[in-house]
Amino acid sequence: SALIFGTLLNYLVRKDPQKEAHKQHMVNVRLFMDQKNIPQELHQRVDLYLEFQFEKNRQNAVDVELPKSLRIKVANANYREIVDKCVTAGRAFAGCKDQFLNAMLVKLHVSH
């Protein structure tokens, strides 16, 4: 039982190497901006952009690993509300079958 407990504890406290690398990168970027006297507003914009890119890339990596049925469910959770606004009568996707909408949802990506 001690071995099982130790294994479970290891999984719980194990750090995500990607996230740790991202944190270190963010520390380096912030130090650079501090040293170069970059305005605080620009600091925040750079932070938000880098965090967004990190999360976007993590999401894309998750999408690749998931089976199609789960990718469809994740896509529906993320984008269905937006697409439903276009499904009402007289809109671009009015009358489209769920299979088409699901295929489209899986292909959607956030862009800013």
Side-chain angles (χ1 to χ4, degrees):
S1 78
L3 178 61
I4 294 171
F5 179 73
T7 303
L8 288 174
L9 186 60
N10 182 40
Y11 282 116
L12 292 174
V13 297
R14 187 170 60 178
K15 296 185 180 194
D16 178 1
Q18 272 187 316
K19 194 166 192 164
E20 291 302 312
H22 172 68
K23 283 181 183 179
Q24 186 57 51
H25 177 68
M26 292 300 292
V27 167
N28 293 340
V29 168
R30 288 176 184 132
L31 285 172
F32 172 81
M33 290 191 293
D34 285 341
Q35 290 171 349
K36 300 297 180 183
N37 296 319
I38 304 297
Q40 196 61 34
E41 179 188 345
L42 194 50
H43 270 244
Q44 292 171 343
R45 290 180 65 191
V46 169
D47 279 355
L48 286 172
Y49 176 78
L50 292 175
E51 291 296 337
F52 170 77
Q53 289 298 321
F54 176 70
E55 290 301 325
K56 180 177 129 180
N57 290 335
R58 285 175 64 98
Q59 179 63 41
N60 289 341
V62 168
D63 288 345
V64 171
E65 295 172 9
L66 294 176
K68 185 177 181 179
S69 61
L70 285 178
R71 283 196 315 267
I72 290 170
K73 289 180 181 181
V74 169
N76 269 286
N78 283 330
Y79 306 118
R80 190 59 184 231
E81 184 179 330
I82 297 167
V83 172
D84 281 346
K85 291 177 183 176
C86 300
V87 174
T88 57
R91 300 282 181 131
F93 300 112
C96 291
K97 295 185 184 254
D98 275 345
Q99 291 135 328
F100 171 77
L101 295 173
N102 286 336
M104 183 180 64
L105 286 168
V106 170
K107 299 294 181 187
L108 286 177
H109 296 282
V110 176
S111 64
H112 293 277

